[in-house]
Amino acid sequence: MVLQFQPEGIYCPAGDFYIDPWRPVPRALITHGHSDHARWGHGSYLATKAAAPVMRLRLGDISLDTVNYGETRQIGKARVSFHPAGHVPGSAQIRVEVDGEIWVASGDYKTTDDGFSEPFEPVPCHAFITESTFGLPVFKWDAQDDVITQINAWWAANKAAGRFSILGAYALGKAQRILANVDTSIGPTLTHGAIENTNAVLRAQGLSLPDTIRVTPDTDIKANAGALVLATPSGMNSTWVRRFGQASTAFASGWMSMRGHRRRRSADRGFVMSDHADWDGLNAAIKATGAERVFVTHGYTSQFARWLNEQGYDAGVVETEYEGESLDAADAEVVE
Ligand SMILES: [Zn+2]
Ligand SMILES: [Zn+2]
């Protein structure tokens, strides 16, 4: 086995390293900066150059080495390279080759180009490790342009009615994806501090985002009437939103396709937008690898693995501590 599933994480014996380990290990290769993949406490880290600034923001002073997408590193007897996963800026699938056998650990991914993250690239391999956050046929995403049009219309209508438009989105990924694509001529955009910290790091590494205004205790809220307010999911459930007074609230998440979730979030609107692949995206991604073996790590694992076996793959579920698209207030700020 090029990669093995150990209690600490996904392990490569030929290179003596782990991929996205959930327990402290000496050497960790990290697919992306979300907190269920990039954890604190490893001896050394290796990630893409594009993922590194956010990892430093979140993990502080870590021993972090970086590679470009597509660049090959020899680690022990393993040849390693990182390839775009399309999930969030800097996110990667990690390709590991040992004696001609190729495995790919994909972390989290989505196959649609969001206009901001590096687009997903299929990597041919013998064995593919996949998530299945939305691994049921009911999950089918609308085109991003359509969802952005809905968000623009919601924002413009609220502005006309003198209301703020408060949109809950993850601090890394979703918030910037929305910001990069909405029609900012409608009005100003205000941001929660956790989102603005991430924006600042991404701008500093050269990514282009429209101007935003960080909400602080001193912010003149009235002067920005009708603004789009990008909030973290936990900010949505706190006193943070109350100062905006008249406002419409919404969430952007793949879970918004399920009526029950929308109701429980007590938001006025739900926009179906995920940084994870939908059913068709998962199937297309797996097919494009040409892999015969598939390991399913998180999400609707047993259902999705059973489906893959019916399609002729040698598929199985592996236990990991990765999480899908969480809507829980406690962790949604940092986990996706
Ligand atoms: Zn993620
Ligand atoms: Zn994840």
Side-chain angles (χ1 to χ4, degrees), residues 153-175:
W154 167 73
W155 180 11
N158 291 332
K159 184 167 187 254
R163 287 190 297 262
F164 285 93
S165 299
I166 306 179
L167 182 52
Y170 299 103
L172 168 60
K174 193 77 55 66

Side-chain angles (χ1 to χ4, degrees), residues 31-42:
T31 59
H32 66 290
H34 283 146
S35 65
D36 52 325
H37 299 263
R39 293 178 192 247
W40 195 81
H42 306 309

Side-chain angles (χ1 to χ4, degrees), residues 114 188 193 272 302 330:
D114 65 16
V272 182
S302 56

Side-chain angles (χ1 to χ4, degrees), residues 103-253:
W103 286 46
V104 169
S106 57
D108 294 331
Y109 65 90
K110 75 170 180 291
T111 50
T112 47
D113 181 354
D114 65 16
F116 191 68
S117 309
E118 305 84 355
F120 179 89
E121 285 177 13
V123 181
C125 58
H126 300 100
F128 186 62
I129 302 171
T130 185
E131 59 143 315
S132 63
T133 301
F134 294 105
L136 293 179
V138 293
F139 295 109
K140 190 168 171 46
W141 308 149
D142 289 336
Q144 174 168 294
D145 283 355
D146 295 343
V147 181
I148 291 294
T149 300
Q150 293 165 21
I151 294 173
N152 287 338
W154 167 73
W155 180 11
N158 291 332
K159 184 167 187 254
R163 287 190 297 262
F164 285 93
S165 299
I166 306 179
L167 182 52
Y170 299 103
L172 168 60
K174 193 77 55 66
Q176 294 79 27
R177 177 182 179 187
I178 290 165
L179 182 57
N181 288 289
V182 287
D183 178 4
T184 51
S185 72
I186 295 170
T189 303
L190 305 181
T191 50
H192 184 280
I195 291 173
E196 195 53 38
N197 290 343
T198 308
N199 289 351
V201 159
L202 295 174
R203 285 186 183 112
Q205 72 190 72
L207 293 170
S208 162
L209 285 170
D211 291 340
T212 46
I213 301 163
R214 179 194 294 266
V215 175
T216 70
D218 301 327
T219 304
D220 185 352
I221 297 295
K222 283 206 181 78
N224 293 291
L228 174 66
V229 182
L230 294 175
T232 57
S234 54
M236 291 286 283
N237 286 346
S238 72
T239 54
W240 188 84
V241 295
R242 288 197 202 138
R243 58 187 298 197
F244 296 100
Q246 283 279 36
S248 175
T249 54
F251 274 97
S253 165

